[in-house]
């Protein structure tokens, strides 16, 4: 099962063909900052804008999935508990983004993070997204 999931994720990643890959297996903060901070007047804006938004949302969704998988692996009973409305609890959450937030807001937070901490651009972009969004959307 794990092999099938990993193979599927790998195939999806290869099919997307994201531009400007820093290393074989990571998009770094330099690439993400370029994608997210390119002005709308730049000829590459449409491509970079799509890459920025897609990557941020993908990392967000991946963090949700990781929390769910960790919860299941840690304690299957915890994943099946219900809350007051009868919905299943996901368990571990890395980010708690509000319903009012949209990808433009998330993008602005990521760009501001890279501008305040330019040294973070050397790190994998996925880790930087978590670091950029967590102060605004922590889970309590």
């Amino acid at each position: 099962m794990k092999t099938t999931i990993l193979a599927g994720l790998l195939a999806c990643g290869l099919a997307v063909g994201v531009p400007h890959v820093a290393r074989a297996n990571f998009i770094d903060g330099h690439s993400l900052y370029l994608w997210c901070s390119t002005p709308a007047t730049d000829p590459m804006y449409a491509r970079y804008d799509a890459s920025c938004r897609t990557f941020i949302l993908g990392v967000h969704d991946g963090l949700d999935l990781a929390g769910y998988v960790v919860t299941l692996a840690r304690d299957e009973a915890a994943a099946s508990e219900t809350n007051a409305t009868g919905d299943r609890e996901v368990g571990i959450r890395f980010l708690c983004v509000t319903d009012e937030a949209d990808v433009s807001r998330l993008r602005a937070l990521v760009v501001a993070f890279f501008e305040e901490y330019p040294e973070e651009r050397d790190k994998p972009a996925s880790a930087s997204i978590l670091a950029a969004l967590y102060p605004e959307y922590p889970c309590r």
Side-chain angles (χ1 to χ4, degrees), residues 17-93:
V18 179
H20 197 247
V21 176
R23 288 177 271 173
N25 59 345
F26 291 114
I27 302 299
D28 69 5
H30 293 284
S31 297
L32 185 62
Y33 181 70
L34 171 69
W35 299 342
C36 296
S37 64
T38 297
T41 56
D42 190 289
M44 293 298 292
Y45 175 77
R47 183 175 184 181
Y48 288 162
D49 178 61
S51 296
C52 169
R53 292 170 181 271
T54 302
F55 195 81
I56 290 172
L57 292 175
V59 168
H60 174 271
D61 290 352
L63 288 168
D64 275 353
L65 175 62
Y68 184 72
V69 169
V70 167
T71 298
L72 288 177
R74 184 192 66 196
D75 182 1
E76 191 157 336
S80 64
E81 291 178 7
T82 57
N83 62 22
T85 62
D87 296 329
R88 288 183 66 154
E89 292 288 341
V90 171
I92 295 173
R93 299 288 308 266

Side-chain angles (χ1 to χ4, degrees), residues 76-130:
E76 191 157 336
S80 64
E81 291 178 7
T82 57
N83 62 22
T85 62
D87 296 329
R88 288 183 66 154
E89 292 288 341
V90 171
I92 295 173
R93 299 288 308 266
F94 296 101
L95 291 172
C96 290
V97 177
T98 62
D99 291 339
E100 295 79 31
D102 62 8
V103 70
S104 295
R105 174 69 181 139
L106 303 182
R107 173 195 197 136
L109 290 169
V110 169
V111 169
F113 176 80
F114 282 132
E115 289 175 349
E116 185 171 350
Y117 305 103
E119 68 279 4
E120 294 295 318
R121 297 178 199 170
D122 293 330
K123 298 178 181 174
S126 55
S128 297
I129 290 171
L130 178 59

Side-chain angles (χ1 to χ4, degrees), residues 1-18 24-25 55 57-59 61-66 69:
M1 176 81 169
K2 288 180 187 177
T3 305
T4 303
I5 291 172
L6 291 175
L9 292 173
L10 177 61
C12 289
L14 293 175
V16 171
V18 179
N25 59 345
F55 195 81
L57 292 175
V59 168
D61 290 352
L63 288 168
D64 275 353
L65 175 62
V69 169

